[in-house]
Amino acid sequence: MPSDYSNLSLIHNEIGMGEFARQMTGHLMNYAQQNNWLGRQIMEVGCGTGESLLWLTQHGYIVSGIDQSPEMLAIAKQTLGGQHSSVQLIESDFRRVATNDDQDMVLALNVLNELNSIREVEHAFKYVHGMLRENKWFVFDFYTVEGLYRRNDDRSHLEYDGEDLSITVSNRFDYDKSIQTRDYLIFKREGNTWQRHRAQRVLRSYAIQGITALVKRCGFDLRHVLTLNMVEYNPADSVERVIIYAEKQ
């Protein structure tokens, strides 16, 4: 994670950082329940600004969230409002937190592409496996190579232009490494002066077949591979992003 990642907390609403979680969490949970998942205790890794946690607490789940950005967790408390006292928020890289195998689900949205190598992905999968009770589920999403390439279509543009905030975005794509980098140049009014900040997201894509094979190697049964429309992925189709449901064995 880039050292200036915390600066994204300055613009999280304007760039829609929580929108995917806000839109998808209910659909993800409904699909799990319709496919025989049962449980109440859920850990979200990389919980960010807390949109998934909010939905889960509002629907009666016992939830906890891990994120290594204190700025993002501060926003998560605001997102949760009066309910944040019932949610355990942990400031850490989730791979360094001592946990028991007591979770009914581990949820990871907008996390996998942040990992720097397939070895890191394998480490993360094994760690999540240790968090879960037997036969409970790991649910995560990730961009495909095509998805990250399409994120790069608009190379440089003005993302947001408000009275007190202006955001310019620049994209670049490393074809050899399948890495998409998005740089944010932020001008924010603070009192009577304008302050300049920079932030960056670096996302690495992985092949669907490689990730599904790794899921199985790390002790999971692959239950479902879905598109964002919540239908089963067809390998003959071109998709930008997929959702994986895996069951601990």
Side-chain angles (χ1 to χ4, degrees):
M1 185 176 74
S3 60
D4 58 0
Y5 176 79
S6 61
N7 283 342
L8 290 173
S9 65
L10 300 172
I11 58 173
H12 75 288
N13 283 335
E14 290 76 12
I15 64 174
M17 286 194 70
E19 196 58 31
F20 180 76
R22 186 181 296 110
Q23 292 180 358
M24 293 301 298
T25 303
H27 297 300
L28 297 175
M29 296 307 300
N30 289 339
Y31 190 93
Q33 291 173 337
Q34 291 166 8
N35 287 273
N36 301 317
W37 173 83
L38 294 173
R40 288 322 249 173
Q41 190 152 315
I42 300 175
M43 169 74 75
E44 184 183 9
V45 299
C47 65
T49 53
E51 280 75 8
S52 289
L53 296 176
L54 177 61
W55 190 95
L56 293 167
T57 56
Q58 289 175 337
H59 290 79
Y61 293 98
I62 302 168
V63 298
S64 52
I66 303 175
D67 200 282
Q68 57 186 338
S69 167
E71 294 84 2
M72 293 296 180
L73 291 178
I75 296 171
K77 289 181 181 179
Q78 297 173 7
T79 301
L80 292 164
Q83 300 180 76
H84 79 81
S85 60
S86 64
V87 179
Q88 183 183 20
L89 296 175
I90 303 168
E91 181 188 332
S92 179
D93 183 323
F94 74 91
R95 295 163 294 182
R96 296 185 174 90
V97 176
T99 58
N100 300 318
D101 57 345
D102 59 356
Q103 300 297 318
D104 298 315
M105 178 183 289
V106 173
L107 182 64
L109 302 182
N110 288 313
V111 172
L112 191 70
N113 296 108
E114 302 272 4
L115 303 179
N116 294 321
S117 67
I118 199 69
R119 181 172 295 180
E120 283 196 21
V121 175
E122 182 175 12
H123 182 203
F125 285 178
K126 289 179 178 178
Y127 197 87
V128 168
H129 189 274
M131 292 179 170
L132 288 162
R133 295 187 174 102
E134 293 294 323
N135 304 121
K136 297 304 180 182
W137 287 19
F138 178 29
V139 181
F140 65 95
D141 76 291
F142 67 96
Y143 284 102
T144 64
V145 175
E146 181 176 351
L148 285 193
Y149 177 76
R150 289 188 179 179
R151 271 175 58 92
N152 202 60
D153 282 349
D154 195 351
R155 296 294 178 86
S156 181
H157 65 277
L158 183 64
E159 179 81 2
Y160 182 87
D161 190 22
E163 191 171 310
D164 299 314
L165 180 67
S166 178
I167 307 165
T168 300
V169 170
S170 298
N171 295 308
R172 60 187 186 274
F173 190 78
D174 185 324
Y175 293 90
D176 293 329
K177 297 179 180 179
S178 296
I179 293 175
Q180 196 250 346
T181 302
R182 179 165 290 180
D183 292 298
Y184 299 89
L185 180 59
I186 307 160
F187 291 93
K188 185 177 180 64
R189 188 193 299 272
E190 299 177 10
N192 295 322
T193 62
W194 287 85
Q195 299 294 324
R196 185 174 72 171
H197 307 273
R198 293 185 180 274
Q200 185 181 84
R201 286 192 77 196
V202 179
L203 303 181
R204 180 186 294 272
S205 63
Y206 299 99
I208 296 173
Q209 295 87 345
I211 293 298
T212 55
L214 188 59
V215 165
K216 296 174 184 177
R217 193 158 74 236
C218 291
F220 292 95
D221 178 32
L222 188 66
R223 293 294 302 267
H224 305 281
V225 182
L226 306 181
T227 70
L228 295 188
N229 294 324
M230 304 303 293
V231 297
E232 292 287 345
Y233 162 69
N234 183 341
D237 294 337
S238 175
V239 296
E240 297 183 22
R241 202 166 183 173
V242 295
I243 299 162
I244 303 287
Y245 288 82
E247 180 180 335
K248 176 177 177 175
Q249 297 300 301

